Amino acid sequence: MATMATETKPAAASSGAISRSGNGTPSRWGLGDGAAIPWEYAPAPESRDVVTLKETYGLFIGGREIPSSDGETFVSVNPATEEPLAKIARGTAADMDKAVRTARRAFQRSWGKLPGRERAKYLFRIARILQERSREFAVLESMDSGKPIKESRDVDVPLAAAHFWYYAGWADKLDYAFPGRVARPLGVAAQIIPWNFPLLMLAWKIAPALAAGNTVVLKPASTTPLSALLFADVCRQADLPPGVVNIVPGPGEIGMALITNPGVDKVAFTGSTEIGRKIFKGVAGSDKALTLELGGKAANIVFDDAPLDQAVEGIVNGIYFNQGEVCCAGSRLLAQESIVEPLIEKLKDRLATIRVGDPLDKNTDVGAINSKAQLEKITELVAAGRAEGAEMYQPACDLPDRGYFFRPTLFTNVAQSHRIAREEIFGPVLSVLTFRTPDEAIEKANNTAYGLSAGVWTDKGSRILSMVRRLKAGVVWANTFNRFDPTSPFGGYKESGFGREGGMHGLHAYVRLEDR
Ligand code: NDP
């Protein structure tokens, strides 16, 4: 609901235009009678009542919640308020070993022997429960991660359920997915996920693994373990046989203990390229299957024939969605030189309307940065951008007094050598570069160690096709950005990793194909 107040209309503001108010929140000016009617959004917080937080959460091993072997716990903090949310059992290497042995037993005794149509029933059940409990998941996810409720409610949770629906459909159709071959499960899958899409990354990993007949040990990120532990409850509610899914939160080291455990057959990791390299070394020399989904520094390329207003929406979605904490974020805008000025002008106007604040407020566009450490990393890289000579623009907006918040940021005058053009910032920071010809755009877009995603904005279909062929990126969006679908494979080239998640390709990563 909007609150209204009467004010004098400034000369510059035309009817229906959007202007910046003192605290950076937008005011829309009334039409018709000459009287200016600016209005602002009233707070619209989602109720926390739908979530019942436990004081302490255990490890989920063998269908039961148990304390860690040394009894230690850690605290998960709400990044928007800095308040502790709950204590979590801190898994150890011994707990990981226990979880892997439990998953192995479940694979041998129950899950690995179940026909696909029976496995499908459990996956369908999980999908349905996720939908039934979607509000609870959305609120918990926003509290634990800092992401805006409108994203957890409309993107993360529905997409997580969609992955279970989708892979449930494949569980009894593996013969059709891999015609002429016999698809066998690999065994125990070790899965390590990051903090930017906690529930969604869990679904990307667990759904295809279970559909193909594998069992799972999953380690969530230390700053966002709660939705995974709520998912443990979903597994119990769905009567999933004990040990098929095991969830062990704890520090990074236990992730290494997990992937090097000899009882593991398959490793799937999503996170930073730095840790991805360690995982790669940890798995090298073994016969474990491996997929790595790592960082990115995507180019979002806007040609002079693109519809600029739509492109602006795509650019904003590309870099400010989930506070820019997205591996495939369009963090480098490549704008054709002839339109760079109007494009930046439109972008600045649009930035002024972005609402930064309480993640649980339904009107919030940019929530809290996931952790203090991540906020420090963003702050450091932005300072480096200024020191190296790029020009910074941030809309005027008040940030909450507590919590880890960062203003949407735009850098112009960026050179390819600048750190902000090369390094994954993982925050709401856009670096603008320019190009003259398609060749130059390709050269600049591909001039990165990463190769996860890219975007192309143009009116010409032929240009889209020619750019897509030459861009070294696993996913290329045309006249849109950050679109995800369970049927579509996702993954990278170069330092963005290898292997694909999603679609039939995602299923392939969890099976061994044999001749008939
Ligand atoms: P990490 O890569 O460190 O974390 C990802 C996951 O790996 C977490 O579950 C983490 O556990 C775990 N992990 C950490 N160390 C090890 C290890 N030695 N062996 C096995 N598993 C390990 O990312 P961060 O959370 O530290 O973020 C750092 C940077 O990485 C970000 O600033 C961002 O640039 C990038 N990043 C990229 C992501 C992507 O999807 N491309 C996702 C997340 C981060 P724990 O949480 O306990 O440390």
Side-chain angles (χ1 to χ4, degrees):
M1 191 193 292
T3 52
M4 291 195 170
T6 310
E7 226 177 80
T8 315
K9 185 178 184 177
S14 58
S15 277
I18 297 166
S19 75
R20 258 156 273 160
S21 63
N23 67 0
T25 49
S27 308
R28 286 174 198 271
W29 297 91
L31 298 168
D33 60 2
I37 310 174
W39 55 271
E40 291 181 358
Y41 291 84
E46 179 70 57
S47 166
R48 292 170 56 147
D49 293 352
V50 67
V51 169
T52 309
L53 280 173
K54 294 196 278 190
E55 199 177 315
T56 308
Y57 289 81
L59 315 173
F60 183 63
I61 299 179
R64 288 187 310 126
E65 216 183 295
I66 58 171
S68 65
S69 59
D70 61 7
E72 293 291 322
T73 56
F74 67 98
V75 174
S76 192
V77 170
N78 181 337
T81 60
E82 300 175 50
E83 285 162 1
L85 290 170
K87 282 196 275 188
I88 323 288
R90 188 176 186 273
T92 63
D95 294 318
M96 274 302 182
D97 189 52
K98 183 175 184 171
V100 171
R101 281 186 284 110
T102 305
R104 167 73 46 201
R105 261 199 312 279
F107 175 68
Q108 287 167 342
R109 292 185 189 164
S110 63
W111 197 250
K113 291 184 183 162
L114 272 190
R117 63 176 182 282
E118 294 303 319
R119 295 197 302 271
K121 287 182 193 168
Y122 289 101
L123 289 169
F124 279 129
R125 218 178 277 167
I126 290 172
R128 203 194 62 235
I129 297 169
L130 280 176
Q131 287 185 327
E132 283 167 4
R133 298 178 68 173
S134 60
R135 202 156 147 249
E136 184 184 0
F137 269 101
V139 173
L140 182 68
E141 195 75 319
S142 283
M143 285 165 68
D144 205 22
S145 73
K147 66 174 66 209
I149 185 74
K150 71 176 174 192
E151 290 179 7
S152 48
R153 182 196 62 197
D154 298 345
V155 181
D156 296 60
V157 178
L159 265 178
H163 276 78
F164 280 96
W165 288 119
Y166 174 73
Y167 281 110
W170 275 122
D172 63 345
K173 301 177 194 68
L174 297 182
D175 287 352
Y176 300 97
F178 310 106
R181 316 292 304 275
V182 181
R184 305 244 183 254
L186 296 171
V188 176
Q191 307 182 321
I192 301 179
I193 56 171
W195 41 259
N196 52 346
F197 292 91
L199 181 71
L200 185 57
M201 289 301 107
L202 173 152
W204 277 28
K205 294 207 165 20
I206 292 185
L210 297 195
N214 304 275
T215 56
V216 163
V217 180
L218 178 125
K219 191 198 101 58
S222 291
T223 55
T224 52
L226 293 179
S227 56
L229 295 167
L230 189 60
F231 182 80
D233 201 36
V234 171
C235 293
R236 279 192 294 241
Q237 200 181 337
D239 270 335
L240 194 70
V244 172
V245 168
N246 305 275
I247 296 170
V248 185
E253 303 90 83
I254 68 160
M256 194 47 75
L258 170 62
I259 62 120
T260 52
N261 190 303
V264 162
D265 303 289
K266 150 85 189 171
V267 174
F269 172 82
T270 298
S272 63
T273 297
E274 184 196 345
I275 301 297
R277 278 198 196 98
K278 292 187 184 171
I279 303 272
F280 193 77
K281 284 188 191 149
V283 168
S286 74
D287 58 0
K288 292 170 188 165
L290 175 65
T291 42
L292 294 174
E293 201 266 273
L294 309 175
K297 192 74 192 173
N300 206 356
I301 305 167
V302 182
F303 283 95
D304 57 6
D305 62 345
L308 288 196
D309 290 328
Q310 278 104 314
V312 165
E313 288 310 306
I315 295 162
V316 166
N317 174 38
I319 185 63
Y320 303 115
F321 169 64
N322 202 37
Q323 298 71 245
E325 298 166 328
V326 184
C327 48
C328 52
S331 51
R332 286 183 300 152
L333 169 62
L334 295 192
Q336 194 151 19
E337 231 172 61
S338 48
I339 46 121
V340 71
E341 278 178 22
L343 187 64
I344 298 299
E345 206 44 50
K346 282 175 184 284
L347 252 178
K348 286 182 177 173
D349 281 350
R350 180 65 179 85
L351 247 63
T353 69
I354 289 180
R355 310 182 63 82
V356 185
D358 178 6
L360 284 183
D361 191 312
K362 297 179 203 94
N363 295 320
T364 292
D365 301 307
V366 171
I369 301 300
N370 182 257
S371 65
K372 192 160 179 270
Q374 187 59 24
L375 181 61
E376 284 167 1
K377 180 183 167 185
I378 298 168
T379 308
E380 195 255 319
L381 273 161
V382 165
R386 300 181 79 176
E388 286 184 322
E391 204 172 297
M392 187 182 82
Y393 171 81
Q394 290 177 329
C397 61
D398 293 333
L399 300 183
D401 296 337
R402 296 192 70 187
Y404 314 132
F405 290 90
F406 200 85
R407 285 190 180 83
T409 302
L410 174 73
F411 273 110
T412 48
N413 283 340
V414 179
Q416 290 200 78
S417 57
H418 289 167
R419 286 182 67 197
I420 52 169
R422 289 184 289 117
E423 296 182 28
E424 185 179 48
I425 301 175
F426 230 61
V429 183
L430 179 66
S431 300
V432 185
L433 297 115
T434 59
F435 68 93
R436 289 183 187 166
T437 63
D439 284 349
E440 190 185 349
I442 291 284
E443 201 176 303
K444 285 187 168 164
N446 288 341
N447 184 14
T448 165
Y450 297 109
L452 192 56
S453 64
V456 181
W457 295 82
T458 171
D459 200 32
K460 295 188 185 64
S462 56
R463 182 176 274 164
I464 290 171
L465 294 176
S466 107
M467 293 295 287
V468 165
R469 263 200 307 277
R470 298 165 69 199
L471 283 166
K472 294 274 175 290
V475 179
V476 183
W477 286 289
N479 293 329
T480 186
F481 210 92
N482 272 342
R483 291 268 169 168
F484 305 100
D485 190 293
T487 65
S488 175
F490 183 93
Y493 290 102
K494 303 194 282 186
E495 293 198 7
S496 293
F498 51 79
R500 295 291 178 265
E501 292 183 309
M504 274 201 315
H505 299 68
L507 208 51
H508 192 246
Y510 286 94
V511 295
R512 187 161 37 85
L513 295 179
E514 294 175 355
D515 291 331
R516 282 198 184 276

